[in-house]
Amino acid sequence: MSESHSHGRQANARQLTAALLLTGSFLVIEVVYGFISGSLALLSDAGHMLTDVMALALSLLAIRIGARPADRQRTFGYRRAEVLAAAVNAGALFAIGLYILVEAYRRLQEPVDVQTTPMLIVAVLGLLVNLISAHILVGGSGDSLNMKSAYLEVMGDLLGSVAVIVGALLIRFTGLTWLDPILGALIGLWVLPRTWALLKASVNVLLEGVPEGLDLDALRTELAGVPGITELHDLHVWSVTTGEHNMTVHLVVPLLTPGVQEAVELIADRYGIEHVTLQLEEANRHGDHAAHLHP
């Protein structure tokens, strides 16, 4: 690892730590005042902010654990810990989203008084916290997908804070308390698809499924079209962690034709596959030859 790359990782870790501490601290305040004010919208926004805290923690975890080398027990290292954490968090967040929807329905049947002053104050403070966190993270979002995802999570939470502010003002001036559960339900409905997508993607990685967005049939066709390859089988593509894809494949060629490995390497690179293991077998011989590629 180059010195500049190492410094970049350290800077990203510091930025994520600062944003995590800031957002996590405010999350506690938002939950407490959500119960004090009786605002479901504020609690729903707290659930959304919890997704931000989880995203920031996972991004920081990815940096910390990703730096740990593989050992005799875990030859792929500890990178899958990020996916395990994501699956657990997504399941918990999905349950929270469902609770918000059920509570919103109950409150529409039996309205609850909402204290708009603490609701408004906390929502404004939440907006400021998100703005500060976004400013902290924006520096590393241009050159790191990990940092960019964390930055987008925080920016998305700005919408929730703005929605709660608008809701508090409308309730304050119109007295329409039913706006609060409606607003809470809308925020919950916005969070649920995101957490479901995260859960689905995490489970797919844990089951070593084909990475989302990768067309296995198209990949197979391209590999079979490489000059010299007469047979292709045992093609497997999976992810160790998010965005890190592996491939193994058994290829049969009349002879160990020069250029086959290079051609497969180029195809794998186009599909975003970082680690490739080839088993090349001569069609007229019983032996085979294994080749390991790292595009």
Side-chain angles (χ1 to χ4, degrees):
M1 181 184 297
S2 68
E3 185 176 351
S4 61
H5 185 60
S6 177
H7 288 168
R9 289 172 64 93
Q10 292 173 6
N12 288 346
R14 287 194 298 269
Q15 292 167 343
L16 283 169
T17 300
L20 179 59
L21 290 174
L22 183 64
T23 307
S25 299
F26 186 78
L27 171 62
V28 176
I29 297 173
E30 191 168 33
V31 170
V32 171
Y33 276 91
F35 282 109
I36 290 175
S37 67
S39 171
L40 185 63
L42 200 57
L43 288 174
S44 184
D45 186 58
H48 184 201
M49 184 166 281
L50 180 60
T51 66
D52 293 343
V53 171
M54 298 300 186
L56 291 169
L58 287 174
S59 295
L60 184 60
L61 181 68
I63 290 177
R64 298 298 189 191
I65 293 184
R68 298 180 64 179
D71 54 34
R72 289 184 297 175
Q73 294 294 323
R74 296 170 180 83
T75 57
F76 279 109
Y78 295 80
R79 291 163 292 182
R80 186 156 283 188
E82 175 191 0
V83 181
L84 285 169
V88 173
N89 291 336
L93 292 170
F94 195 79
I96 291 173
L98 290 178
Y99 166 77
I100 292 295
L101 293 180
V102 172
E103 183 66 12
Y105 176 78
R106 188 184 70 81
R107 290 197 180 191
L108 285 173
Q109 301 300 313
E110 301 177 9
V112 176
D113 289 335
V114 177
Q115 300 179 30
T116 57
T117 299
M119 177 182 174
L120 184 60
I121 292 174
V122 175
V124 171
L125 290 176
L127 180 61
L128 293 175
V129 167
N130 285 316
L131 286 171
I132 295 172
S133 296
H135 179 71
I136 292 173
L137 296 173
V138 69
S141 64
D143 53 10
S144 168
L145 291 177
N146 189 34
M147 291 292 291
K148 184 176 182 180
S149 65
Y151 171 72
L152 291 177
E153 282 284 344
V154 171
M155 289 299 293
D157 195 42
L158 288 171
L159 296 175
S161 296
V162 171
V164 174
I165 291 171
V166 172
L169 291 174
L170 288 175
I171 294 172
R172 188 179 187 88
F173 292 109
T174 66
L176 300 176
T177 56
W178 56 265
L179 287 172
D180 179 68
I182 291 294
L183 191 59
L186 289 175
I187 297 174
L189 287 172
W190 189 73
V191 171
L192 278 176
R194 298 169 67 223
T195 56
W196 176 254
L198 177 60
L199 180 61
K200 181 181 176 183
S202 301
V203 170
N204 186 60
V205 173
L206 294 176
L207 293 177
E208 296 188 345
V210 175
E212 293 186 7
L214 193 151
D215 189 335
L216 189 64
D217 291 333
L219 174 61
R220 187 189 304 274
T221 300
E222 286 199 43
L223 291 174
V226 172
I229 294 178
T230 60
E231 187 179 344
L232 180 156
H233 53 87
D234 291 333
L235 173 63
H236 301 283
V237 183
W238 74 99
S239 298
V240 175
T241 187
T242 306
E244 188 171 319
H245 309 324
N246 288 8
M247 181 180 82
T248 62
V249 62
H250 188 161
L251 304 174
V252 179
V253 294
L255 296 172
L256 292 180
T257 310
V260 170
Q261 294 183 19
E262 290 77 5
V264 172
E265 180 178 352
L266 289 174
I267 293 172
D269 186 61
R270 287 202 302 271
Y271 281 82
I273 299 172
E274 299 180 359
H275 184 99
V276 179
T277 300
L278 297 183
Q279 185 177 20
L280 299 179
E281 178 184 352
E282 292 184 65
N284 298 322
R285 297 187 181 183
H286 297 293
D288 56 35
H289 171 72
H292 304 277
L293 304 180
H294 304 272

